[in-house]
Structures are given as C-alpha cells and as structure tokens.
Amino acid sequence: MSPQAAMYQVNKYPGLNLGPGHGQDDEAAATVMFGFWVFLMSDAILFGMVFATYVTSLHGTAGGPGPHDLYDIKSIFIETMLLLASSFTFGMASLALKYKHGRIRLVSWMVVTLVLGIGFLGFELHDFSSMFAHGGVPSRSGFLSAFFDLVPLHGLHVTAGCIWLICLLGQIGRYGLDLKTKLGIMRLALFWHFLDIVWIAIFSVVYLGGLT
Amino acid sequence: MSGQAHNTDSQAETGQQERKELRAYGWGIGLALLLTVVPFGLVQWMAMPRFTLLIVIGAFALVQMLVHFRCFLHIGLRQKREDLQLILFSALLLTIMVAGTIWIMASLATRMAMPGSP
Amino acid sequence: MSIAALFDHPLGRLQWSSLPFWDMLQHPTKGNIINGVIATGAASLVVVGAIALVLVLTRYKLWRPLWSDWVTSPDHKKIGIMYIVIALVMLARALIEAVLMRAQQAFGLGGGFLSPDHFAQLFSTHGTIMIFFMAMPFLTGVINYVMPLQIGARDVSFPVLNSISLGLTAAGAALVMVSLVIGKFSTGGWFGYPPYTEANFSPGVGPDYWIWALSLAGLGATLTGINFAVTIYRERAPGMTLMRMPLFTWTALCTAIIMIFAMPPLTVATAQLALDRYLGFHYFTNDLGGNMMNFANLFWLFGHPEVYILILPAFGVYSETISTFSGKALFGYRSLVMATMVIALLSFTVWLHHFFTMGQDANINAVFGIASMLIGIPTGVKIYDWMWTMFRGRVRLTVPMIYALGFIVLFVLGGMSGILLANPTIDYQVHNTVFLVAHFHNVAVPGVLFGMLSAYHFWFPKAFGFRLNERWGMISALCWIFGFIGAFFPLYALGLMGLPRRTVAYTEARYVPLEWVAFLGALLILAALLALLWQLWVSIRDRDGNRVFVGDPWAGRSLEWSTSAPPPEYNYAVIPVVEDRDTFTRAKEQGRAYQRPDTYVDIELPGNSAMGPAIAAIGFALAFGLVWHIWWLVILAFLAAIASMIVRGFARDTTRIVSAQQVRQEHHRWIDAVAAATAVSRADECKSVNVGLALQEADGVVP
C-alpha cells in the first residue's frame, strides 16, 4: 500500500471522522459530515451578522444601562469554563465512539457533556434575570436589543444541542449504535465544538470588550 | 481495502492513532484554558490601556479559535482540503460582510452625528 | 400569562373587517367599491381555484396518487416539477398585478382608479412574489430536475431535506395567497424598509405576512443551497471531474454557494424586524437607540447576492441551449466557469450600491461603485462566449433559442443601464425613479424569466416524454420579447423625465403617452402568458403525436439526454462513466451510446416521507398564527415542529430497493424502443417523426 493510500485509509474525509474501523458507515458519514459543515458555515454567517448588529449598536444605549452596569465577569468566566469543559468531554465521547470503547463509556461522556451544557444554560439564565433586575431589558434600548439578539441566540443553539443530545441518548437506548445514531453523534460533536468557538467570540467581543 | 492479513497491523496502528488524538484533545484544552484565563485576568485587573487591551483580547480570541479548529475539530493542512477550503471561504465572506457593515455604519454614524459617534 | 389567557382571543386579531369586501359594504363610496371589487375578485379567484382543485382531486380520486406519488416523494425530479408548478401559479398572479399597476398608471394623471394603499399592496406583493415565489422556485425546480441527471447521480444528497425545502417554500407561497383573502399584505415594498414597517406606522398584519412568508422561503432556500452544493461535491458519476461538468451544473453550484451564504443576513433582518414588531425591541425604530439604516445594510447584504442567485442558473440554461441549438461545443468553457465563479464572489462585495444615497462617505460609495462596475467584465466575457458559440454554428431557431437570442440583445442593454447606475453620481440623479425599475426589470425579465422559460421548453420533453407545441411557443416567446420592450423601455424615458417609482398618481400630463405605451406592452406580456398556458393545453392534448420516449429530441450534449424521457425514478439503470466534456455527444460519435449492460444490480432509493408536507403544514400554521396573534396555534405548531424532527430522528429503514430484475426490464424496454426508433435529422426535430433519437451529424462549425 502506498503511503498516500494509507493516509487515505485513516482519513476518508477531513476533520472529525468515524474512522476506518467502522467500514461502510465511514463512507456514509463523509457526505453527511460535509453537509453539516456547510450548514455550520451558513450558521456562522448568521452569527456574524448578529455580531455586526451588536457592534454597530454599541452606542445606542439611549441613556439606559450599559455593559459596565450589567455584565458580571465572574459568572461569564464560570460559563466559559463549563462550555470549554463540555467541549473536551464531547471530544472524549467522540473518541469512545470512534475506537469502539463500548456504549457505557460513550454514554457516560455524553451525559457529562449534557450536565455541563445544562449548567451553562443555568448560569446564563441567571445572568439574564439579574440583567433584567437592573433594568437591562431588551425593549429598553437598541444596545440591549442587540445584546439580547446575540447572546440568547447562542443560548438557543446550546438548548437545541442539549435536546438533540437527549434524543441521541434515546436512540442509543432504542437502536444501539447503528449508522444513523453514529451519524447523529458525529454531527452533534461538530455542532457542539462550533458553538464553543462562537462563545469565544461572544465572551471576547461582548463581555471582555464591553468591560474594558 | 485491507484484508484479514492486515488486521493485527491496523490494530496497532489504531492504538497509536487513538493516543495521538487523545493528545490533541489534551493540548486543545490546555491551550484553550490558557488563552481564556489570560484575557479574563487582564480585564479583571486592568493591566493596560483600553485600546491595547482590546487588541490583546482580539488576538487571544483568534488564536483560541484556531486552537479549537485544530485540536477539537481536527482541521489540518495536510488532509484532503475540501473543508479547509470551505472554512477559509466562509471566513473570507464573513470578513467582507462584517467589516463592510461596520465600515458603512460607522461612516453613517459619524456623518449623521448620531449619539456616541467617534 | 396564564394558559387560559391564550384562549381569550381564540382567533387573535382575525375579525370580519379582515375580509376584502368589508370596507366596500361599510362605506360604499366609489373608490371603496372599485378597490373592493378588485380585491374581492382576486380573493374569489384564490378561493374558487382552491375549491375547484379539491373538487377535481376528489372527482377523479387523485388524493392518493397526489399524496404517495407527489407530495411525499423524495424524488428530485418530482420535487423539481412541483417547484415549477408553484412558480407558474405565482407568476400568473404577480403578472396580473403588474398589468393592474400599469393600468392604474396609464389612468394615473391626477388620480386613477386604485387607492394608494391598494396600489402599494400590489407593488409589494408583485415584488415579493416575483423574487421569492416565482424566480426562486422556478430556478430551484429546474436545478432540482436537471442537475442530478447532468452529474449522473441517482438523487440529491439529502432527498428528504429537499422535500422539506419544498414544503417551506410552498408554505410561504400559501401565506402570500391567503393574504389576498384574509387581511391585507404589506404596503412596504418587497424590501420592507423600517421604520415604515415598524408597528408604529404599520400596525396591521401586512408586514407580518411579509416577514413570515420571507422567513419560510429563506429557510427553504438555505437548506436547498446546502443540498445542491453537497450533491455537486459528492454525488458526481465516476469520471465527472469538476471541469467536465456541464455549465448549467457549474452555475447551479455557484448559485447554491451564494444561497448558503446570502440567506442568513435576510433571516437576521426579518427576525429583528419581527422582534421589533412583536416584542418591542429597538433595532430599527426611530427612538431609543434603534437604527433603521442597519436594516437597509442587512437586507442588501442578502439582496444583492440574491440577484446573482437568480441570474446564474439562467446563464447556465443559455449556455446549454445555445450550445445545443448551435450544434457546437460551448466556446470558452473554461472562461465561462471562471466568469461564473468571479461573479459569485463579487456579488458579495457590491451591496451598498442599493443605497448610495443613504449618506455614507463618498469614498465608500466610490469603492462599491467600482466593485459594481467590475461585475460587468465577467458578464461581458459570458456574452462574447455565447456569441462565439453561435458563430459559424448550425443555429436552429427553436423556442429555447428564441428566448436566448432575445436575452442576449436585451440583457446587454439592461447591463449597460446597470453600469450607469453603478456610478454613484448618476445614481443620485435617477435613484428612486422608474429608470431604476426599468433597469432591474431589464435584467430580471430577459435574464431570469426568459432563462427559466427557455429551460422549460428545453427540458419539458425530458420531464414529461413529449415535446411542447412549437407554434404557440414561438408566439408566446415573441409576445414576451416585444411585450417586454413595450412595457419597460418607456420607463427609462419616464425615469429620466422624473417619474418616481411606486407613484400611484401624478400631475405631469407629458407622462401619459409613454405610460400608455407601457400599459400596452404589459397587455402584450399578459397575452404571452395566455399563449404559454394555451401551448401547455395544446401540447397535452396532442401529446401522443409528440412523444420522445427515446429521450434525445434536441441532439443533446450532456448526460441527462442519455436516458429515457421521462427518466426512470433511479435516473440511470447503470451509473454512467464520464470520459469527456459534452460526454453524451462524444458517446454518440464513438458509438458508445445506448448500450445494454451485462448485469444489473439492485438500486437503493430513499423511501417516501411525510416530513415535507408535515413541515409545510406546520410552517404555515406557525406563520399564520404569528401573523394573526393566535398564540395557541403558534405554541402548538412550534411543539409540532420540534416533535416532528425528533420523530424523524428515531425513524429507521428509510430506504427501499428497486430490484435488479425490474431495472433490467425497464432498461430493456427502453433500449428496444431506441432500436426501433428512426433517427431524425435536425431539420425535422420539431415534427412528429422526432421520437427522441438524433441522427448522427458532424459536430462543430460550418465550414
């Protein structure tokens, strides 16, 4: 076997993959994963436009509360750590799937990820409610409208990811690790890591940028 | 492609591959932690003037995104290129759209003397 | 809000006054009666049409075939046809509205017969429909039908997603149709600028209809774009390298890429406007830090690439028809591919030319003006390539070719006026006049619409197995071309004379003669539409004399002509191997076409799925509930949407098998028909002797 063929055997398609150990399923994953990447890039543009709205609305506080009055850096730091940790644990789940370490290990990592995701959402909701308490409601100003477009949009994505994860756990329970479940886990992995990348932009631009 | 004869071979290869990937995740989380903690710390204790701080935060964010792409999403330069091309193309369009928007809207804000314009 | 409160107003804002004849009955003034009669007539057409459809389906027991053969089918060919049906229905409505508008303006000296609000609704629905529910479904339908066949695939990559996209588009179209009967559509134009469309100034349901119709269509288009791009990347037949793809597939790829990246700004813009209207946010309001200029920016970030979503597939169609009906390989294939890619990229760098006059720095205007002019270069390359393709070719003046020729002449003029408008200093003079209306119709009608009609005539025999009537097609094409000239060239002059766009009435008597010319042109276009419908009827009536089961009526050049007409549901009994560009022409020259393979294998196809119609129904219910503030319906539909996706996730065994035995049988039946057919020369291609087998004639230029 030529070195090129060997490399091709390891990675049939770029990025996260199911690996040659899964034979026919790996082939099927190639198209689905590429399709999901394309979807994520479309989603990235969506986020980009919302970011642009946020940046151009920074001065539209209309005398209402601004970043310094509303953002709580400790809470943001905790959220960041939770999401980062969940990205890592999902990575472990991906490895457990790829190298066939059995269902228990896979499911455990997925459950840990889910708990971290829900924890993130809990802290985020707490943030929002304390912002509301300080008069930071979206109808107060253009700036707050833009904030409540951007950050909850990410939160909604994480919520969707959590629901999806629960459904996948259900599918594992019902059908075991068949092709469709595997493809679901693989795509959710991309989605989860992608959301973490969007969060980097959020905590840097919105929170850290706002608090300088 | 490989028949029964290659099985033991590929098993050893697989183990090696797995350790490599595990290391990638390890590096990923380590670097990401560092790249997160530093800007948070800088903001918390206000170590420098605002503009410099913004540049530093931006730079750390960009590097951390690259780390995530490399270590968590396994996007590399040496494999088949189609998704790298996709990401780079998307990044180009995103830059055009976001930078263009900010450029246009900032100019409008200045010329229309809107509140808070520079 | 308690659960009981949801039912305080079970029909939300719906009231008797939402019906189109209410004003007329309550306040029977002359103006109200005229507007009421027109609106009620239109509403009755929708209602009567719907009832007639239900009756026909019931009378001929067609509900079951409609369900199992069409709406739940994941077959890209059927989905494509359904898209085109939507497009044609919507074309008829929007065209009638256009004629009404021209009539109003012809009588518009000092008044006319329509109320300003009614007129505003007409131009808003006309624009919205023509862009989102005529042009988009039409091109999506053509790509859906043709592209997988051209690349030698069995279907698109995600067939059920394809059906869902269709469902979303259909739901959006239905919403626009319903707005004729219940309530009023937006009066804010097809781009719905705030603050006019904000709740303060337009408290009614109009802008909500507009927002949700666009959201549904936009989501559908995003998913379609993803599907097409992945299909072209991953499902090509062996040997079909990128540079061997037919040009139509290339343009489909570029269009798909633009769809993926240009739809999100629209989604953001409409979602933010909805948040403003429903929840009191302040993105685009006048007060509290809102900035309506953000909307213009976001909308055109989508709006300009959208123009190229529309035009690129038409360019692809012309490339195919001109090459086929000139009997020559496309001149400058490589340059056409490059030009297409350059246009796709540049389309993202010019959006500001839609609002040169908004007040930004002159340097910004200059940058975007220059970028806009640059697009003229690759487009010019294409025009020359098509002309060189015809040069010394054996040009046959069939209907698709007439459209192509009309396109080349008229589109160059439209492009020229575009270059004029790309200059900010000129744009300042004529902006918001009908000069602009003339310009974009001059590129949209001869460009997009003629392209789609050319495609319709070109591929119809492939899709249905019989040719369209040539005589009525010719009459229709000529009516389109001359009607277009009559309807829009006067607008250039009127624009320079200072007539603002979207004016219901005017006081300058010197506008009247040209307005009348434009009105007559519009009537000619209406005649063209009627001729088109009549042609369809005549062709269906005479179908047995025009069958082309063998599948190659035009001496086609690409793969889709190498299978039967209509093709089997799996497209190809054996996936073809591609060795060249214009692969079917080469195969015919070398005697490799129409082969009988030794073995056949089972073919796996996606099974039917109710996801498409389910999402259509849910999407429509959700949007309708949102428009009328029927909150319980909104909540139900939202939960149903989530539930349907979860249920779909748990579905297994979603494929079915076509046995090798059946494939063999069908393929042999076709090959036998090929063997029995007499090949016809190009001189006879429009006569009934043409059963779809082309006589082998030397390819290439006339000596």
Side-chain angles (χ1 to χ4, degrees), chain A residues 16 73 98-99 101 196 212, chain B residues 17-18 21 44 50 68:
Chain A
L16 272 185
I73 194 168
K98 182 170 179 177
Y99 295 101
H101 290 311
D196 200 13
T212 50
Chain B
Q17 182 73 17
E18 183 180 0
E21 281 194 47
Q44 180 67 2
R50 180 157 191 263
H68 279 237

Side-chain angles (χ1 to χ4, degrees), chain A residues 13 27 30-32 34-35 38-39 41-43 45-46 49-50 52-53 56-57 60-62 138-143 145-146 148-149 163 167 170-171 174-175 178 180-181, chain C residues 157-158 222-223 225-226 229-230 233-235 259-262 264-265 267-268 272 275-276 279-283 288-291 294 298 301 642 646 648-652 654:
Chain A
Y13 47 94
E27 298 275 347
T31 300
V32 174
F34 183 63
V38 178
F39 163 75
M41 290 301 104
S42 187
D43 212 28
I45 303 283
L46 191 82
M49 290 299 97
V50 180
T53 308
T56 53
S57 306
T61 48
S139 52
R140 176 62 189 82
S141 69
F143 160 73
S145 295
F148 280 102
D149 198 9
I163 296 174
C167 293
Q171 288 182 37
R174 175 81 177 70
Y175 300 105
D178 68 343
K180 211 170 158 185
T181 319
Chain C
S157 289
F158 310 114
T222 313
L223 299 177
I226 294 171
V230 176
Y233 263 101
R234 307 238 16 132
E235 311 289 337
M259 280 185 188
I260 294 162
F261 293 106
T267 310
V268 171
Q272 290 180 342
L275 286 169
D276 273 7
L279 297 174
F281 281 41
H282 291 284
Y283 296 108
L288 290 173
N291 184 354
N294 249 328
L298 278 174
L301 263 170
I642 294 176
I646 292 176
R648 177 71 197 170
F650 277 86
R652 292 295 185 276
T654 51

